[in-house]
Amino acid sequence: MKHFNKVISWCNNPVHQYYLFVIVLMVPNLFLFYTEPMEWSVRIAFLFLPLGLYMTLMDMSRKPGIMVWILFPLLFLGAFQLVLLYLFGESIIATDMFLNLFTTNSTEALELLDKLIPSVIGVVILYIPTLVLGCMSIRSSQKLSNRFRRKMLKIAFLFFAIGAIFTGIARWTVSDFSIHKDIYPANVVYNIKLAVERWQASERYQLTSKGFTFQASSSHLPEEREVYIMVIGETARAINFGLYGYERNTTPGLQHMPNIVYFTDALSQANATHKSVPILMSTASAEDYDRMYQEKSIITAFKEAGFKTTFFSNQLPNHSFIDFFAEEADVHEFLKEDPEEALNPYDMEMVKMVNKFLSAGDKKVFIVLHCYGSHFNYYERYPEKEAYFKPDKIDKISKQTRDRMINAYDNSIRITDRMITSLIESLKEETGISALLYTSDHGEDLLDDDRCRFLHSSPVPTYFQLHVPYILWVSDSYNQCYPDILQNAKIHHSSPIMSNSFFHTMLSVGGIETNYRNDTLSVVNAAFQLTPRCYLDDHNLPLTLDKIGFKDEDLKMFRKYGLQYP
């Protein structure tokens, strides 16, 4: 009891509270100081500018608890930042992370949160006592003396001046340095501002794209029956496909399918669904992403060319561009519309929906499928009876349970293979010509190396998040009518491509003529050309592969699988 009273007495001391609160506010900076690559001048500014600022703010009240509660938003951001560092090992909270909060359903969030318990416990231990101590400070009669406050203010100004001097040095010596990009928490506040602006721009999309038209037409014979299916996978990485040389037979259906071409060096231009899927469905790319706010999707292009269009999704509507594009279709349906439902339906359900849609017998048909694919939690993506690789259940994410996690992930790939194969078999039964084009929005980290990275959407991507499967199938009748398509695909099957080619390739396969089709990006076109590969960064700017921030572990994988870099 005696020691407990001493601790309480120590904690009630406003001077001790002042120091503790400043230290807690500085914790994210201290971690980022060691995780982020910075020039020496930036490092000094990174510590001293915020330290001077926090000390000045804490000095504004004689009761430190009042200021710590006023600065609660900074504590919240600090907690978010620490969880992010636990998950990805680097980087500030990105703009996309804030947008993910609005475009990720609650079930997904809870699935992830369950695996982040250690980091959650850590931030609770750090920040809850801080807030409790703040309440104690407010209720206490003890206050900081004016003498102490004047002393701390002088020190704060000194620290701030040191930070300002080295900020100036950094601006002079580091070409791309800026406070709003490189100094925490200014960079996080700036990213919040960008996230709000992007959300507002997407809210105006219906208005800004209202008058847009592709002026599209079909170059194929009008009397020909045509059926095209565009399949957008989720979180599937190429190296876990048996088709791509994986030691496990995860693609038994596609393995020996005739008229198939798979592209071995395909990378996604984004590692977050809310950005990668719109790139697949529109002319938007890392090089010119913002054009998406004024233009419509590939669904409208096919629709203008006389096709009956449909969009089926196994993901929850989230008021993003994916939803807006879906609404362009003659028929659009989301298998899961209630966020309170515990589990998603299986992707195989969409095969039934496709078959029903095809039974109407429309002459020109274009179908877009948005799968749930291999999204975490992996063992929930397939029925238990389809668990080919066992054991596949885990209660935590760790190196010790990785084998089980990989089993579950590979099972989800087998179900994707079964779905695509089933769609192809359905197309074979149809009269006329048909084709199917598949890729995934991005890949996934699965504790693959010493970095122990997990999931996707990290501010700095890895090889595992970007190398995706990219597969084309055409029917025998299609190949007889348009043999150049398959021939060109085979010629370019090992060419280094990015996901921005998907839109143009699908238009070429479907014979859709429009000035918005770029044949130099279409891998089934003789006009295809190699171009520098770019990734869409958090601020929607294009970065060539050598500027992304790949580590040695990533470059090793590029070399291992013979991918072009940069």
Side-chain angles (χ1 to χ4, degrees):
M1 192 66 179
K2 178 181 178 181
H3 295 297
F4 178 75
N5 290 334
K6 283 186 177 181
V7 171
I8 295 298
S9 176
W10 191 92
C11 290
N12 267 325
N13 186 312
V15 172
H16 297 161
Q17 292 168 350
Y18 175 95
Y19 289 133
L20 281 173
F21 294 158
V22 170
I23 290 171
V24 170
L25 286 166
M26 282 295 296
V27 165
N29 291 78
L30 296 173
F31 275 92
L32 289 164
F33 181 85
Y34 289 103
T35 64
E36 304 311 293
M38 300 180 233
E39 298 292 336
W40 65 272
S41 55
V42 179
R43 288 188 179 278
I44 296 175
F46 189 83
L47 288 182
F48 281 92
L49 268 184
L51 180 58
L53 174 64
Y54 292 149
M55 290 179 67
T56 301
L57 291 173
M58 291 304 304
D59 204 59
M60 294 178 67
S61 173
R62 295 188 65 186
K63 289 189 174 185
I66 293 176
M67 288 310 302
V68 87
W69 272 98
I70 290 175
L71 296 176
F72 176 80
L74 285 179
L75 296 180
F76 178 82
L77 289 179
F80 192 175
Q81 180 64 69
L82 294 180
V83 171
L84 179 69
L85 287 174
Y86 174 84
L87 184 60
F88 297 126
E90 61 182 336
S91 298
I92 63 161
I93 310 171
T95 302
D96 288 335
M97 296 301 295
F98 291 112
L99 290 173
N100 282 341
L101 293 177
F102 298 100
T103 58
T104 299
N105 68 62
S106 57
T107 302
E108 290 179 11
L110 290 174
E111 287 175 351
L112 176 58
L113 186 63
D114 184 51
K115 309 305 176 185
L116 294 176
I117 288 177
S119 63
V120 173
I121 291 174
V123 299
V124 166
I125 290 174
L126 179 64
Y127 290 105
I128 296 301
T130 298
L131 295 173
V132 172
L133 200 57
C135 293
M136 292 172 59
S137 170
I138 294 170
R139 293 172 60 88
S140 175
S141 59
Q142 298 186 62
K143 301 177 182 179
L144 294 172
S145 67
N146 288 330
R147 180 181 178 184
F148 176 83
R149 293 172 66 200
R150 286 194 296 270
K151 177 183 176 182
M152 289 300 103
L153 192 60
K154 290 178 182 178
I155 296 174
F157 284 167
L158 174 63
F159 288 161
F160 198 85
I162 293 172
I165 289 171
F166 281 93
T167 296
I169 294 173
R171 289 175 68 91
W172 182 263
T173 59
V174 181
S175 59
D176 58 347
F177 171 81
S178 62
I179 292 177
H180 72 272
K181 288 197 309 181
D182 296 293
I183 303 295
Y184 181 92
N187 45 16
V188 175
V189 173
Y190 177 72
N191 286 348
I192 292 174
K193 172 179 174 290
L194 283 182
V196 171
E197 290 175 352
R198 290 184 198 170
W199 185 262
Q200 291 175 339
S202 67
E203 289 289 292
R204 297 192 298 270
Y205 172 73
Q206 303 292 358
L207 178 63
T208 56
S209 65
K210 186 177 180 180
F212 177 81
T213 175
F214 284 100
Q215 295 183 328
S217 61
S218 175
S219 62
H220 292 175
L221 297 175
E223 65 271 17
E224 244 172 6
R225 183 162 193 253
E226 302 176 80
V227 180
Y228 303 112
I229 300 181
M230 178 175 172
V231 184
I232 300 173
E234 170 69 56
T235 321
R237 55 192 218 173
I239 58 171
N240 285 71
F241 274 60
L243 200 63
Y244 281 73
Y246 187 43
E247 62 270 16
R248 283 180 159 179
N249 190 18
T250 55
T251 52
L254 293 173
Q255 205 79 33
H256 305 293
M257 183 74 69
N259 296 349
I260 270 202
V261 178
Y262 57 97
F263 298 86
T264 58
D265 193 356
L267 303 181
S268 176
Q269 285 201 319
N271 65 347
T273 299
H274 74 269
K275 291 168 76 168
S276 56
V277 172
I279 287 175
L280 296 173
M281 295 184 65
S282 73
T283 60
S285 65
E287 296 83 350
D288 192 7
Y289 186 74
D290 288 344
R291 66 186 299 171
M292 182 174 62
Y293 294 101
Q294 285 78 43
E295 299 180 6
K296 294 185 178 179
S297 80
I298 194 169
I299 292 174
T300 291
F302 271 88
K303 197 174 181 179
E304 289 178 1
F307 281 73
K308 180 73 175 291
T309 59
T310 187
F311 180 96
F312 294 139
S313 176
N314 195 19
Q315 300 210 19
L316 194 71
N318 54 24
H319 205 61
S320 69
F321 276 98
I322 302 171
D323 296 3
F324 303 151
F325 291 169
E327 292 168 2
E328 297 174 19
D330 296 304
V331 176
H332 68 275
E333 186 173 343
F334 291 82
L335 274 71
K336 181 177 179 180
E337 295 194 6
D338 183 3
E340 300 303 318
E341 290 181 28
L343 299 176
N344 269 66
Y346 301 122
D347 284 343
M348 285 298 297
E349 292 296 314
M350 290 194 291
V351 177
K352 300 176 185 177
M353 299 169 72
V354 168
N355 290 337
K356 182 179 179 181
F357 188 74
L358 292 177
S359 67
D362 295 286
K363 180 169 285 189
K364 309 285 185 179
V365 177
F366 179 60
I367 301 171
V368 178
L369 302 182
H370 187 202
C371 309
Y372 210 34
S374 299
H375 196 288
F376 186 80
N377 215 335
Y378 313 123
Y379 61 77
E380 294 176 355
R381 304 288 83 86
Y382 52 89
E384 189 170 352
K385 64 181 181 180
E386 299 287 347
Y388 186 83
F389 303 106
K390 294 183 178 181
D392 61 338
K393 300 293 196 307
I394 55 175
D395 56 4
K396 65 176 181 178
I397 301 299
S398 68
K399 278 288 188 180
Q400 290 71 36
T401 62
R402 184 175 185 271
D403 288 346
R404 293 183 175 219
M405 180 177 69
I406 294 297
N407 286 343
Y409 185 84
D410 287 347
N411 286 334
S412 73
I413 299 296
R414 280 183 66 95
I415 289 297
T416 295
D417 169 80
R418 185 178 159 208
M419 181 197 69
I420 297 173
T421 303
S422 298
L423 290 170
I424 291 174
E425 293 301 330
S426 294
L427 291 177
K428 287 180 179 179
E429 298 297 319
E430 296 295 315
T431 58
I433 64 175
S434 58
L436 179 147
L437 188 64
Y438 165 85
T439 193
S440 181
D441 56 353
H442 50 71
E444 184 92 313
D445 282 316
L446 296 172
L447 308 181
D448 298 284
D449 50 45
D450 291 340
R451 293 175 294 179
C452 290
R453 295 282 293 268
F454 180 54
L455 299 178
H456 56 270
S457 293
S458 58
V460 178
T462 65
Y463 153 82
F464 302 98
Q465 294 183 35
L466 298 189
H467 188 197
V468 291
Y470 192 125
I471 301 168
L472 170 69
W473 172 87
V474 299
S475 65
D476 289 335
S477 54
Y478 182 99
N479 195 35
Q480 290 171 7
C481 292
Y482 308 103
D484 288 350
I485 294 293
L486 198 60
Q487 181 180 346
N488 288 329
K490 290 177 179 178
I491 292 171
H492 302 136
H493 85 279
S494 62
S495 298
I497 58 176
M498 296 294 280
S499 55
N500 63 322
S501 70
F502 200 68
F503 170 88
H504 306 280
T505 298
M506 189 72 250
L507 289 182
S508 293
V509 170
I512 306 302
E513 299 285 353
T514 170
N515 289 334
Y516 290 87
R517 191 180 97 187
N518 184 348
D519 288 343
T520 65
L521 291 174
S522 170
V523 292
V524 297
N525 200 292
F528 172 77
Q529 296 177 6
L530 297 181
T531 57
R533 295 202 283 186
C534 291
Y535 173 80
L536 184 66
D537 79 353
D538 186 53
H539 292 172
N540 285 358
L541 298 174
L543 297 178
T544 54
L545 298 187
D546 56 333
K547 301 296 184 183
I548 292 176
F550 281 142
K551 305 298 189 295
D552 289 340
E553 294 89 341
D554 302 309
L555 302 185
K556 179 181 177 181
M557 297 302 293
F558 272 85
R559 291 191 294 269
K560 179 178 178 179
Y561 289 98
L563 309 188
Q564 181 172 302
Y565 178 88

